[in-house]
Amino acid sequence: MTRQAAGLVHLELAGVTVADVLQRLLASNPELKSHLFDGGRLRPDICILVNGRNIRYLDGEATPLDDDDTITIFRQVAGGAP
Amino acid sequence: MYGWMGTILRVNLSTGAITKEKLDENLARDYIGARGLASKTLYDELPPRTDPFDPANLLIFAAGPLTGTAATSASRYNVVTKSPLTGAIAASNSGGYLPAEIRYAGYDMIIVEGRSEEPVYLWIKDDQVEIRSAKAMWGKGTRETDALIRDETDDEAKIISIGIAGEKLVRFAGVINDRERAAGRSGVGAVMGSKNLKAVAVRGTGGIKIKDGAAFREAVLRNLAKIKSGPVTGEGLPTYGTAILVNVINSHGILPTNNFQLGEFAGAEAISGETLTRDLLVRNRGCLACPIGCGRVTEINWEGNRERGEGPEYESIWALGAACGISDLELITKVNFLCNEYGMDPITLGATVACAMELFAEGVLTVEETGMPLHFGDGQGLLELTRKTAMREGFGDVLAEGSARLAEKYGRPELSMSSKKQEYPAYDPRGSQGIGLGYATSNRGGCHVRGYTIGAEIVAAAVDPLTSAGKAKLLIDVQDFTCVVDSVGMCLFTTFSLGVDDVLPLLNAATGVDYTTESLLQAGERIWNLERLFNLREGLGREDDSLAPRLLQEPLPAGPAKGNVVELESMLNEYYQLRGWDNEGRPTGEKLQALGLG
Amino acid sequence: MSRTLVIDPKLCTGCRLCELVCSFKKTETYNPARARIRTIVMEDEIAFVPMTCWQCEEPVCQEVCPTGAIGRDAATDAVLISLERCIGCKMCMMVCPFGNIQSNGAKEPVVKCDLCGGEPECVLFCPTKALQYLPADKFTLARKKRIAEKFRSILEEVEW
C-alpha cells in the first residue's frame, strides 16, 4: 500500500495507448482510481512517464505504446535535498 | 529594531578583540540578512585575492530576520567565507536549533576574523562572549565535541563545530551544528580549522521582537496550512524524506551513475527512499519551526553495534551510492554518519571517490598510488577512503583536495565532474537542461540549491526537462527567489509550497519594512549580482561558467534522455542577456545602477 | 466534559514550534526560554518529548502555596497562578514532580501553562498532532482503538 501511495506501480500490460493501459490497470485495481483520477480526469499531481518521458511532453493519455515500453506512475511528492 | 536583532558580533582570533556593532538599517533592508548580509560584508571587507586559509579571510555565521520565529521552517543560517575548494564565494546553509540560538543571544551575525595561536572555541552566553581553549576537544569528532563543550558551558548551549576534516584542512570540510546538521559544502569547515576555531557555543535567552504580531501570526497560520496541504511538503518529504527522489530521478534516466558515465543505476531500488523508510527509519526529525520534518533518524546494525544518527539525505545517498556504483544502503548510511562525525561534505567526498574510481578503471591510477584496488561498487573501499580522507592519510591526502585537483594531478582534468572545482549533485543535466545552466552559473560552483530548476523540470513537470528553451528565464527567477529565501532564514524546501507572496507578509510584519513583491525579488537579484561581483573580483569569469566536458560532448548513452548533451552555449548567452550582463558575464553599469551596486 | 492536553512523543519531530508560539502568545516575543512548554530532546536516542503542566487533579503546587495564589479555572480545569497573590517564593516550582513550573525572573516569578483559556496555542500550531486538546474519554478511546488494532493482528496471526 505504501508503494501504491508513493506511486510506484510497475505492471507489464499490452495496450495501444496510455489511456488503454490505465483502463486495464483500473479494471484489475479499482482502488487506484481515486489515487489517479479526479472526476474522470487525471489528477494534476500524477506524473506518468513512458520510458522516462513525462506524457505531458508526448501525446498525453493518447501517447502510443510499444511492446517493451515501461510506464512509470508516481505522484508529484518528491522534493530535493539541501 | 524589529525582526532583526540589530547587533553584529565580531571576534578577532588574532588579537582576542571582541566587539559588538550596530546593524546598519539600510544594509539590512537591502540585503535582508543571512546569505545576503553576510555576502555584502565579505564583499566589503575581504581584500581581493586573499588566500582562503589566510588569517585575513572572514568566516561569517549569519541568520536571517525570520530565523528563530515561528515562520514555517525559519531555522536557517548561512556560513559565508571565501572557499578553499573553489576560490569563489562560499555560502553554506544549515538548519537545526543553533541558528535561532544566535538570535536569542542577541545577534544577527557573528563575524570571525584572524587566527588563534592555539585551538579555541567561542562561548557566547547572551551578551557575555569569551574565547576559551579547545585543546581538550582538538582531534575529537563533532558529537564528542558537542558533549564536551556543553559540559564546560551550559547543557542548553547549541554548538557549531568542526571535526577532524576541518582541522586537517580537507578542502570540502563542512561545519556541523546540533550534532547532525551540516553547512556542508564549499569547505567552510576548513576555513574554520585554519583559524584554529574548533567550535562556537551559543546560549541565548532573549526574544525576537515582531513589529505587527497579529499580522505575523496570521501569515504563519496561512503558510502552515499551505505547507501541510502541499503534496511535496505535506506528504512526500514527511513520509519518505528527500530520498524519495532516488526512484523518481532514476526513472527519468538522470541519476548519475559511475561518475556520470550512465544516467540509470541498476541498484537504485536498494538505495531508494522506500527502502530507507522500510529498513532504517526510526522517526522523522524537524528543524526549528519546521512542519515538514524531512530529517531522517536512522539506525543501522554495524559490526554488531546498533548505531543511530541522521540521514542519509538524497544527495548523500546518491554521491556515496550511485555515483560510485554502490548499492549497500547500510554502508552508505554508515559513511554518512562518519561524514557528520568528521565534518566532511558527503557530496564532494562521494564524487571525488567516483572520479578516482574512473581514473583507476582507466589505468591512470594504480594500486601503487591508491594503496588498494578501487573499482566502481567497492563499498569497503569507500569506507576506508572516507576515514583516510578526513585524516589526510595516504591516498586520502590527495582525495582531500577534491576531484578537480585530483583529476588535474593525474593529467585527466576532464574526469572531474565539477564546475568552479565544486562537484555536481545528483541530477544529470543532460536530461534536465535547466539544472545544467544552474550548475554552470552557480556562484558557489557545482550545486543544486542556488537554482533548483529540478522542481519545475522534474518534480512538478511544469516544463519539459529536455528542452533548453526558456530555461535561462526559469533559472534566473529561481536563483533570485532562492536568494530571498536563504536571506530571510527560511528553508528552501518551503518553496515547494510557498512563493514570494507568502514570504512577503512575514517579512513585512516582522520587520516593519514595506517590501513589495518587486522590491523583495530585486533584493534577491541584488544579492545574486553581488556574489557575482565578488567572484569576478577574484578572477573568475565566463570560462568558469562551464561544465565538465562529458556533459557537453558525450551524449547520455541510454535511457529517456539518451543522445542528449547540455546545450550550454545558447542558454548561457540568453542567461547573460536576461541578467543584464555583458558577453563576459559582467553586470553592465546600467544593471549595477538599477540594483544600487554602481 | 472538560478537555485534556495530551501528548504523543511518537509523533513529535522536535520542531519546537509549540515553544515558539507559546512564548509569543505570552511574551509577544519569540523566546523559547520563556515558553511554558518545552520539548525535551534526548540527544543519543534522538527522541522528543513535549513537557508542560498536566493540570493535576490534586496539584501539590496548590497545596504548598502559602498565599493561596493557586486555584483551578472553572471553565477549563486549568490550574492557575494568580500573580496578584503570588509572592514569588517558588515553593510551587520546587514541589512540582514534573518540573513544569518555571521561574522567568522578576517579571514572571513563577509561570506555568494555563491552557490559553481553553484554546491552547501550541495545539493549534503543532504540525504533526503530537499535541492535542481532547475530551479525556475521546483520547482514551482513540488509544484503545489503536492498541486493539495491534492486538487483533497479533491474535489473528496465531493459528490454532
Side-chain angles (χ1 to χ4, degrees):
Chain A
M1 190 57 215
T2 44
R3 289 191 65 81
Q4 285 178 356
L8 287 154
V9 182
H10 287 274
L11 287 180
E12 280 176 32
L13 294 172
V16 184
T17 64
V18 171
D20 296 334
V21 171
L22 286 176
Q23 215 166 29
R24 301 232 350 226
L25 179 68
L26 292 185
S28 50
N29 300 274
E31 76 282 2
L32 283 179
K33 184 154 190 182
S34 63
H35 285 282
L36 299 178
F37 288 91
D38 187 6
R41 301 191 62 153
L42 201 59
R43 286 172 50 146
D45 60 343
I46 292 295
C47 270
I48 299 181
L49 309 184
V50 174
N51 299 327
R53 288 284 285 147
N54 198 307
I55 58 167
R56 207 173 285 182
Y57 304 107
L58 301 170
D59 293 327
E61 288 175 61
T63 302
L65 296 168
D66 283 332
D67 274 355
D68 294 331
D69 287 347
T70 304
I71 303 178
T72 315
I73 304 172
F74 55 81
R75 283 194 58 207
Q76 293 168 1
V77 292
Chain B
M1 283 178 108
Y2 292 94
W4 293 284
M5 305 309 290
T7 305
I8 295 165
L9 176 64
R10 186 186 294 269
V11 178
N12 186 312
L13 294 175
S14 298
T15 64
I18 294 166
T19 49
K20 287 161 197 165
E21 297 163 12
K22 199 169 168 296
L23 174 64
D24 182 302
E25 278 182 42
N26 292 329
L27 278 188
R29 188 195 60 225
D30 289 350
Y31 293 92
I32 308 174
R35 178 174 163 192
L37 204 54
S39 299
K40 173 66 176 162
T41 306
L42 191 75
Y43 183 80
D44 287 348
E45 296 189 14
L46 187 71
R49 314 285 176 124
T50 303
D51 185 285
F53 291 144
D54 190 286
N57 195 5
L58 304 177
L59 180 64
I60 307 173
F61 304 97
L66 299 184
T67 306
T69 70
T72 38
S73 314
S75 68
R76 319 291 294 185
Y77 78 147
N78 268 249
V79 184
V80 174
T81 187
K82 182 179 169 183
S83 164
L85 184 69
T86 65
I89 194 165
S92 225
N93 187 314
S94 176
Y97 305 141
L98 167 283
E101 203 74 14
I102 294 175
R103 304 242 303 150
Y104 303 143
Y107 312 101
D108 296 297
M109 196 153 79
I110 304 167
I111 303 170
V112 179
E113 48 192 37
R115 172 195 286 150
S116 166
E117 290 290 323
E118 303 278 345
V120 290
Y121 72 89
L122 209 54
W123 167 223
I124 301 166
K125 170 82 190 285
D126 293 320
D127 54 350
Q128 302 292 312
V129 183
E130 290 173 49
I131 300 170
R132 290 188 170 189
S133 169
K135 276 187 189 164
M137 298 92 193
W138 202 253
K140 303 269 198 270
T142 53
R143 277 190 173 206
E144 195 179 349
T145 300
D146 189 289
L148 286 169
I149 290 181
R150 285 197 300 172
D151 272 355
E152 273 192 15
T153 56
D154 182 334
D155 195 44
E156 294 293 305
K158 311 295 181 222
I159 317 282
I160 307 166
S161 70
I162 53 167
I164 289 139
E167 295 177 13
K168 299 277 185 190
L169 308 185
V170 172
R171 283 188 191 271
F172 48 92
V175 308
I176 302 287
N177 60 275
D178 300 293
R179 294 171 40 130
E180 308 278 355
R181 297 277 120 205
R185 301 222 73 191
S186 310
V188 295
V191 173
M192 193 159 157
S194 77
K195 297 188 173 307
N196 267 322
L197 181 63
K198 179 67 178 174
V200 179
V202 187
R203 173 63 180 147
T205 60
I208 300 168
K209 285 188 290 186
I210 299 296
K211 177 74 176 178
D212 184 345
F216 191 82
R217 182 177 174 278
E218 281 307 307
V220 172
L221 277 172
R222 221 166 33 237
N223 288 350
L224 197 54
K226 285 189 181 178
I227 293 276
K228 293 305 286 180
S229 60
V232 177
T233 53
E235 194 177 334
L237 287 171
T239 309
Y240 293 103
T242 56
I244 187 175
L245 273 178
V246 174
N247 275 328
V248 174
I249 297 299
N250 196 50
S251 302
H252 283 83
I254 56 170
L255 186 68
T257 301
N258 293 3
N259 203 34
F260 284 74
Q261 295 184 77
L262 307 165
E264 294 171 302
F265 182 44
E269 182 64 35
I271 61 170
S272 66
E274 292 82 349
T275 303
L276 183 141
T277 303
R278 189 192 65 205
D279 294 346
L280 305 179
L281 182 69
V282 178
R283 66 170 58 85
N284 300 353
R285 179 166 200 178
C287 295
L288 190 80
C290 182
I292 303 170
C294 73
R296 305 286 99 174
V297 177
T298 49
E299 191 171 271
I300 53 172
N301 245 314
W302 195 257
E303 292 169 350
N305 297 317
R306 297 177 86 75
E307 292 189 23
R308 191 173 278 201
E310 284 186 46
E313 308 298 326
Y314 169 64
E315 308 291 337
S316 312
I317 290 182
W318 161 78
L320 306 170
C324 298
I326 294 168
S327 55
D328 179 346
L329 188 57
E330 204 148 5
L331 179 132
I332 290 167
T333 304
K334 172 65 184 177
V335 173
N336 188 66
F337 287 177
L338 286 176
C339 282
N340 284 349
E341 192 62 20
Y342 296 142
M344 195 159 62
D345 172 17
I347 300 180
T348 288
L349 173 73
T352 301
V353 171
C355 174
M357 285 172 167
E358 189 169 357
L359 288 168
F360 193 88
E362 291 281 303
V364 179
L365 277 175
T366 63
V367 176
E368 206 160 298
E369 279 93 15
T370 59
M372 61 173 90
L374 196 53
H375 301 291
F376 282 111
D378 181 1
Q380 289 304 318
L382 170 69
L383 184 68
E384 178 67 10
L385 287 174
T386 299
R387 191 185 61 78
K388 284 189 160 164
T389 302
M391 309 279 179
R392 278 190 176 272
E393 207 180 283
F395 185 59
D397 195 32
V398 181
L399 296 180
E401 296 289 297
S403 70
R405 289 170 177 84
L406 165 76
E408 179 78 42
K409 181 182 163 84
Y410 290 99
R412 299 289 298 275
E414 75 281 8
L415 292 186
S416 165
M417 294 297 123
S418 62
S419 287
K420 300 183 181 71
K421 298 195 180 72
Q422 178 159 283
E423 291 71 12
Y424 304 129
Y427 316 86
D428 195 313
R430 287 171 288 188
S432 191
Q433 295 284 326
I435 202 71
L437 182 63
Y439 292 167
T441 58
S442 155
N443 285 329
R444 67 171 194 181
C447 167
H448 56 301
V449 291
R450 301 295 93 160
Y452 193 69
T453 60
I454 296 295
E457 296 187 282
I458 304 290
V459 176
V463 291
D464 186 346
L466 294 190
T467 175
S468 58
K471 294 299 168 68
K473 171 79 171 81
L474 168 73
L475 177 66
I476 289 168
D477 289 347
V478 179
Q479 284 174 338
D480 290 351
F481 180 42
T482 300
C483 282
V484 171
V485 174
D486 285 349
S487 299
V488 299
M490 284 169 70
C491 177
L492 184 57
F493 282 4
T494 58
T495 64
F496 285 111
S497 296
L498 304 180
V500 66
D501 289 326
D502 300 307
V503 177
L504 184 70
L506 286 170
L507 190 60
N508 282 347
T511 62
V513 174
D514 286 323
Y515 289 101
T516 60
T517 304
E518 293 71 31
S519 72
L520 189 54
L521 285 174
Q522 194 189 44
E525 187 188 5
R526 180 180 303 117
I527 293 163
W528 187 266
N529 277 270
L530 183 86
E531 293 175 341
R532 179 75 181 181
L533 290 179
F534 180 93
N535 288 350
L536 290 168
R537 195 173 70 185
E538 294 299 322
L540 281 78
R542 180 173 182 131
E543 66 282 6
D544 300 290
D545 293 344
S546 191
L547 293 169
R550 170 164 290 160
L551 305 178
L552 300 171
Q553 292 156 15
E554 289 177 28
L556 260 174
K562 182 179 172 176
N564 285 285
V565 295
V566 183
E567 297 153 22
L568 181 62
E569 198 64 17
S570 60
M571 287 194 292
L572 192 61
N573 287 334
E574 191 187 354
Y575 176 89
Y576 283 178
Q577 201 185 3
L578 290 172
R579 275 268 176 225
W581 296 356
D582 67 17
N583 273 340
E584 292 306 307
R586 292 174 301 219
T588 58
E590 206 178 329
K591 174 55 73 177
L592 294 178
Q593 210 77 50
L595 294 173
L597 291 166
Chain C
M1 181 81 205
S2 74
R3 305 212 281 179
T4 307
L5 190 93
V6 293
I7 61 160
D8 188 343
K10 278 208 242 18
L11 296 176
C12 180
T13 62
C15 79
R16 298 169 59 207
L17 198 51
C18 50
E19 298 176 26
L20 291 169
V21 299
C22 174
S23 67
F24 194 61
K25 179 141 185 173
K26 299 300 181 189
T27 72
E28 292 178 346
T29 61
Y30 285 107
N31 184 356
R34 287 177 66 184
R36 294 145 187 229
I37 183 167
R38 269 290 302 276
T39 303
I40 302 300
V41 178
M42 297 165 183
E43 292 291 355
D44 291 324
E45 299 84 359
I46 317 185
F48 318 101
V49 187
M51 293 285 284
T52 191
C53 175
W54 309 122
Q55 322 293 351
C56 303
E57 290 300 334
E58 293 176 26
V60 284
C61 52
Q62 185 178 12
E63 276 172 37
V64 300
C65 180
T67 61
I70 299 182
R72 190 175 293 278
D73 183 84
T76 64
D77 271 353
V79 177
L80 304 181
I81 303 174
S82 156
L83 281 182
E84 275 141 44
R85 287 188 169 190
C86 173
I87 54 171
C89 72
K90 304 185 186 63
M91 294 274 281
C92 53
M93 184 182 95
M94 290 177 233
V95 298
C96 174
F98 304 102
N100 282 332
I101 295 180
Q102 70 184 68
S103 173
N104 289 337
K107 276 190 196 157
E108 295 177 320
V110 284
V111 291
K112 64 179 288 303
C113 169
D114 60 5
L115 294 174
C116 297
E119 289 174 9
E121 189 83 342
C122 53
V123 171
L124 178 65
F125 281 80
C126 178
T128 62
K129 292 197 164 68
L131 294 168
Q132 293 199 75
Y133 190 52
L134 297 172
D137 61 340
K138 198 173 165 188
F139 167 70
T140 51
L141 189 61
R143 180 156 290 182
K144 270 194 185 83
K145 281 183 176 169
R146 212 168 71 194
I147 297 297
E149 189 56 35
K150 284 189 180 169
F151 275 13
R152 189 188 64 88
S153 60
I154 293 167
L155 292 173
E156 289 186 356
E157 210 169 80
V158 180
E159 292 192 21
W160 297 91

